[in-house]
Amino acid sequence: MIQMQIETIPVTVDEKEILKNLLEKYNFEFSEWDKRDVNDLGLYGYKYLDHYWTEKERYAYFIKADGKLAGFAMINAYADTDEPVDHGIAEFCIMPKYRRMGVGKAALFQILDRIHGKWHLKMHPRNIGAKSFWINAISEYTKGNYRLCESVSGTKFDDGTPEDQIFFEN
């Protein structure tokens, strides 16, 4: 594991365009699994982006490694579940250059240390790398005290695949 200084920094409204650009790259990569198409402008878009500066229960963070932009995390209180939760990990992206170096886990742990409650996150079951990351990171953070639900009925990604979900509390 390479030693780097990892920071999670709240995204300001003035930095919204930077986050929007990163979301396009993230959605491009994720389209491999959810099979989403771009719009007529060649963009994926993110319809809730402005809400991160107008609603209390939404948080957006840049993830930096040694001062360089390495990804982002978006947290909200709008989980796709009937179970009572306080927070959901809506989006989480580490750029390929910084993967498998501990950047994502360090950033996740910083966010979880900052925001407490009952958590929920969803995973596309065919995104094996992301699923492995989430299970390993959440297991380590909670010392194995989490619940994994696979192929949750009533939930689906854009391609129709049921979600895998993790629930935990911190």
Side-chain angles (χ1 to χ4, degrees), residues 8 10 52 56-61 73-77 85-89 107-120 141 168-170:
T8 52
Y52 280 83
K56 266 177 46 175
E57 296 298 319
R58 292 186 190 261
Y59 312 95
Y61 298 96
M74 298 171 77
I75 311 301
N76 66 37
V85 295
D86 301 310
H87 311 289
I89 298 173
L108 175 65
F109 288 10
Q110 286 180 24
I111 291 167
L112 294 177
D113 286 346
R114 188 180 292 153
I115 305 171
H116 297 107
K118 294 179 181 178
W119 285 85
H120 166 264
Y141 187 83
F168 63 99
E169 190 169 348
N170 66 336

Side-chain angles (χ1 to χ4, degrees), residues 34-91:
D34 74 357
K35 307 302 182 202
R36 195 170 352 150
D37 288 311
V38 294
N39 63 25
D40 292 341
L41 298 172
L43 301 170
Y44 291 96
Y46 193 82
K47 67 181 178 178
Y48 300 110
L49 182 61
D50 289 332
H51 298 250
Y52 280 83
W53 294 275
T54 61
E55 295 179 9
K56 266 177 46 175
E57 296 298 319
R58 292 186 190 261
Y59 312 95
Y61 298 96
F62 286 133
I63 298 167
K64 293 195 172 186
D66 287 340
K68 303 284 188 196
L69 201 49
F72 64 88
M74 298 171 77
I75 311 301
N76 66 37
Y78 306 98
D80 293 338
T81 178
D82 293 332
E83 295 194 30
V85 295
D86 301 310
H87 311 289
I89 298 173
E91 317 298 342

Side-chain angles (χ1 to χ4, degrees), residues 80-81 120-121 147-149 152 155 163-167:
D80 293 338
T81 178
H120 166 264
L121 68 93
R147 186 165 43 93
L148 171 63
C149 302
V152 176
T155 68
E163 299 170 357
D164 287 350
Q165 300 179 357
I166 293 179
F167 296 88

Side-chain angles (χ1 to χ4, degrees), residues 1-7 22 25 29 62-72 92-108 129 133:
M1 194 94 29
I2 296 173
Q3 293 295 331
M4 287 185 270
Q5 180 184 353
I6 309 304
E7 299 174 279
L22 292 173
K25 293 164 181 57
E29 184 177 8
F62 286 133
I63 298 167
K64 293 195 172 186
D66 287 340
K68 303 284 188 196
L69 201 49
F72 64 88
F92 190 92
C93 176
I94 301 298
M95 289 192 249
K97 172 183 176 178
Y98 295 100
R99 292 180 188 161
R100 301 188 191 286
M101 299 170 72
V103 174
K105 188 182 346 178
L108 175 65
F133 165 78

